[in-house]
Amino acid sequence: MGDRLLDLLDAHAIAFERCDHPAVFTTAEAERLIPPLPGAKAKNLFLADPQSSLRFLVVVPYAKRVDLARLATLLDARKLRFGSADALQQCLGVTPGSVSLLALVNDVDRRVDVVIDAPIWSSDAIQCHPLVNTATLVLAQAGLRRFLQATGHAPRVLDVPARADPG
């Protein structure tokens, strides 16, 4: 967990519960290796429009399979793809597997737009990696809102479209 993140959480009196665990890279691994914690379990998608400079951090429930084409339309993007590891490092200062809302602490130039699925936004608390995938923090909704305000990121809360199940 980076000093910048700890300093920001402390400066804004954002309380959290911390749980250390083995490294997790997928939601399936997280389900297996992270003990039960309060709050919404979220996955974070770092997406980019390859034909523009648009970058998005999209936060949805674990089980949601996002329809990228429909989401692109909602976000006024031509096409959405997963951002490269280099772009992720440049924009949010993290590596694949550690993508988190809390990485917005590193987006001081506000190059990333935040999209939060309505069910996540309406939850009492959320689980987030603290810039590494070997720990999880639980932040209350009020703490999440203070964090986003402190980093200068106004989230777009919407019903993120899901892909239809095949078959």
Side-chain angles (χ1 to χ4, degrees):
M1 198 155 89
D3 290 340
R4 180 184 290 168
L5 177 58
L6 282 175
D7 290 347
L8 185 137
L9 294 174
D10 186 51
H12 295 276
I14 299 170
F16 59 88
E17 175 183 341
R18 179 183 176 131
C19 175
D20 292 300
H21 50 73
V24 294
F25 294 92
T26 66
T27 56
E29 287 178 347
E31 285 288 334
R32 194 175 73 250
L33 297 171
I34 300 174
L37 297 170
K41 296 176 182 180
K43 66 179 173 184
N44 303 274
L45 310 175
F46 179 67
L47 302 174
D49 180 345
Q51 302 192 359
S52 72
S53 60
L54 295 174
R55 304 273 185 267
F56 300 96
L57 180 62
V58 180
V59 184
V60 297
Y62 268 15
K64 184 169 261 189
R65 297 174 59 219
V66 176
D67 183 327
L68 294 181
R70 288 176 43 216
L71 180 59
T73 300
L74 288 174
L75 299 176
D76 295 322
R78 289 189 50 147
K79 186 172 188 171
L80 289 176
R81 294 192 175 153
F82 287 94
S84 70
D86 286 343
L88 177 60
Q89 183 65 47
Q90 290 172 7
C91 292
L92 295 177
V94 294
T95 58
S98 298
V99 182
S100 166
L101 267 171
L102 298 179
L104 293 170
V105 71
N106 294 325
D107 183 28
V108 294
D109 296 326
R110 293 176 197 84
R111 295 183 287 173
V112 177
D113 290 330
V114 182
V115 177
I116 301 178
D117 201 9
I120 295 290
W121 189 249
S122 65
S123 66
D124 292 337
I126 185 172
Q127 298 178 21
C128 305
H129 286 313
L131 312 185
V132 295
N133 62 356
T134 56
T136 298
L137 301 187
V138 177
L139 274 68
Q141 181 60 238
L144 172 62
R145 289 174 191 242
R146 278 198 310 278
F147 173 80
L148 291 168
Q149 184 176 27
T151 63
H153 291 86
R156 291 173 73 172
V157 178
L158 52 92
D159 289 315
V160 174
R163 286 191 315 199
D165 287 328

